[in-house]
Amino acid sequence: MTDRTDFAAKARELDEADPLGDYPDRFLPTDDDIVAYFDGNSLGRPPAVSAERMDHFVRHQWRARLIRGWDDEWLDWPTAVGDRLGKAVLGAAPGQLVVADSTTVLLYKLARAALRARPERREILLDTDNFPTDRYVVEGIADEHGLTLRWIETDPDAGITPDQVANAIGPNTALAVFSHVAYRSGYLANAAAITRLAHETGALVLWDLSHSAGSVPVELDNWGVDFAVGCGYKYLNGGPGAPAFAYVNDRHQHALHQPVQGWMGHRHPFTMGPGHEPAPNIRSVLSGTPPILGMVPLLTGLELVEQAGINAIRAKSLLLSDFALELADAWLPPLGVRFASPREHSRRGGHITLCRGDFDVINEELRRRGVVPDFRAPDGIRIGLSPLSTRFTEVHTGMATLAEVAAERHG
Ligand SMILES: *Cc1c(COP(=O)(O)O)cnc(C)c1O
């Protein structure tokens, strides 16, 4: 056990040297029944000020402004918050992002809009290990419109590569839909190269940034991305069911037709006239009344990310996963645990996955002992390391408990 003692000291040193070391204190503390939270990539923890902000919003803005609040400022929130996201974490100039709906719904709307822009092409390209909702939505659209799905078989321990895309894409591909960071392995796709490849064949690309936003730097404008969507409740810490975001590059906005053409996406929502005329800008992605209440804590989460800066967040993210990997390498191979994520920094997102046949049972035991990772069928435990809210000592505690439980059940 001497190695464990050394690693505990190393964890304390890493915490002391951490330039973002005081950020975990800006979140509400967990109850004592949690000793290590490894699921900030699925649901980020609440920033401490979120509670006050929500209380303040109800007592002052909602109560006092009532319906006037819409004209005062709320109608502008979807694009105002979108612009801030674009600047802080997505590499997008203003006017290309809205905050609305859920990732699933926005994915549907943008995929349909993209397909409408390529009516002569009959194929959608996607990969077998994309997040379930992405696959289901695209399958539904293909079914609805008689389109063909072309599946790339991805290695679940890795992710989608430019070579695979080059081999599968062609003159009949209308749209490619991929995740930037794979939800299982944490593989970080080369979005710039894949987008370029797609454009060479005339296809459009829709990136799901749910596991990227607030964790790895994204450069939507520089990469020439057409469309993107992503979650507000993961690394952005916006709270359960926080609204999602959608990006439509400027060059597609003049002709964008998404299928849920509600009044809020109308050029003049309040003339209430006959027929739908889409707004000539990013607002055409909107459908109904924007989720203002949900944007209150999303803004608080975003503020923390803005203050810390995405490059510092990424630097800490890699140190956290390096440390978890070092502990895994030291303790877990003799226990039959396999590392199922990229080792190289350039291809690693914000989480890692470890596999063993009985990890479903081990996951239950870990939760009983206050360690909260995520189980991903068939045999993966996902260690999500949200940089702003996670300490190195917490990584050490959680990984040591994992090694302990894995050893107890081994052989
Ligand atoms: C978490 C996640 C989603 C979730 O979509 P919701 O509509 O918020 O349920 C979608 N895509 C990816 C890649 C995700 O990781």
Side-chain angles (χ1 to χ4, degrees), residues 241-372:
F245 61 83
Y247 167 90
V248 177
N249 188 287
D250 268 336
R251 67 182 175 276
H252 296 301
Q253 288 182 17
H254 65 285
L256 190 85
H257 288 274
Q258 59 89 358
V260 190
Q261 43 179 45
W263 67 319
M264 284 294 157
H266 194 284
R267 180 186 278 265
H268 305 294
F270 298 101
T271 54
M272 311 208 165
H276 187 267
E277 194 190 337
N281 51 40
I282 190 68
R283 293 191 76 88
S284 67
V285 175
L286 300 178
S287 295
T289 303
I292 299 301
L293 275 179
M295 285 188 234
V296 174
L298 178 61
L299 270 168
T300 311
L302 179 56
E303 265 174 32
L304 290 185
V305 172
E306 287 170 336
Q307 286 159 16
I310 191 65
N311 292 326
I313 290 173
R314 171 62 171 166
K316 177 167 178 189
S317 167
L318 287 171
L319 284 175
L320 283 165
S321 55
D322 276 346
F323 186 50
L325 177 54
E326 188 181 353
L327 299 178
D329 280 344
W331 299 334
L332 300 178
L335 301 174
V337 176
R338 187 169 60 83
F339 184 72
S341 293
R343 284 183 174 266
E344 66 275 30
H345 283 180
S346 61
R347 298 274 70 90
R348 196 195 308 159
H351 65 270
I352 59 169
T353 292
L354 301 163
C355 295
R356 196 171 95 172
D358 62 351
F359 264 6
D360 49 343
V361 184
I362 288 192
N363 186 51
E364 294 300 309
E365 183 54 29
L366 284 175
R367 284 176 182 240
R368 273 192 285 277
R369 298 187 195 186
V371 176
V372 184

Side-chain angles (χ1 to χ4, degrees), residues 47-346:
V49 282
S50 292
E52 291 153 37
R53 292 282 175 82
M54 291 185 81
D55 186 76
H56 185 268
F57 184 88
V58 174
R59 288 179 199 283
H60 298 282
Q61 289 171 276
W62 179 8
R63 178 195 58 80
R65 299 311 298 159
L66 292 169
I67 197 74
R68 298 171 296 177
W70 288 110
D71 286 332
D72 293 349
E73 56 172 313
W74 299 336
L75 278 174
D76 292 332
W77 278 29
T79 48
V81 182
D83 285 348
R84 278 176 65 177
L85 268 172
K87 180 160 191 246
V89 297
L90 300 176
Q96 303 177 100
L97 279 146
V98 280
V99 170
D101 305 325
S102 65
T103 303
T104 303
V105 169
L106 289 175
L107 185 84
Y108 176 78
K109 295 203 281 191
L110 293 193
R112 283 284 312 273
L115 292 164
R116 191 163 161 160
R118 291 287 180 276
E120 70 293 354
R121 294 172 173 234
R122 307 299 298 165
E123 279 184 13
I124 309 175
L125 184 63
L126 70 170
D127 74 283
T128 49
D129 209 41
N130 202 346
F131 190 82
T133 213
D134 301 56
R135 288 182 277 116
Y136 303 155
V137 164
V138 174
E139 284 171 332
I141 293 174
D143 193 43
E144 221 180 330
H145 296 273
L147 302 172
T148 303
L149 296 180
R150 185 174 288 272
W151 293 94
I152 295 175
E153 291 277 340
T154 21
D155 175 357
D157 293 3
I160 189 81
T161 66
D163 279 350
Q164 288 173 310
V165 175
N167 287 332
I169 206 160
N172 205 21
T173 312
L175 173 69
V177 180
F178 299 122
S179 285
H180 183 218
V181 173
Y183 81 103
R184 199 191 302 265
S185 67
Y187 184 89
L188 177 62
N190 187 342
I194 290 173
T195 302
R196 205 161 44 236
L197 265 166
H199 288 171
E200 281 164 12
T201 68
L204 298 169
V205 191
L206 197 173
W207 285 101
D208 189 328
L209 306 174
S210 292
H211 279 287
S212 322
S215 162
V216 299
V218 173
E219 295 181 53
L220 290 173
D221 289 350
N222 284 342
W223 299 341
V225 167
D226 301 292
F227 305 99
V229 295
C231 291
Y233 51 82
K234 292 175 174 168
Y235 292 103
L236 294 171
N237 304 304
F245 61 83
Y247 167 90
V248 177
N249 188 287
D250 268 336
R251 67 182 175 276
H252 296 301
Q253 288 182 17
H254 65 285
L256 190 85
H257 288 274
Q258 59 89 358
V260 190
Q261 43 179 45
W263 67 319
M264 284 294 157
H266 194 284
R267 180 186 278 265
H268 305 294
F270 298 101
T271 54
M272 311 208 165
H276 187 267
E277 194 190 337
N281 51 40
I282 190 68
R283 293 191 76 88
S284 67
V285 175
L286 300 178
S287 295
T289 303
I292 299 301
L293 275 179
M295 285 188 234
V296 174
L298 178 61
L299 270 168
T300 311
L302 179 56
E303 265 174 32
L304 290 185
V305 172
E306 287 170 336
Q307 286 159 16
I310 191 65
N311 292 326
I313 290 173
R314 171 62 171 166
K316 177 167 178 189
S317 167
L318 287 171
L319 284 175
L320 283 165
S321 55
D322 276 346
F323 186 50
L325 177 54
E326 188 181 353
L327 299 178
D329 280 344
W331 299 334
L332 300 178
L335 301 174
V337 176
R338 187 169 60 83
F339 184 72
S341 293
R343 284 183 174 266
E344 66 275 30
H345 283 180
S346 61

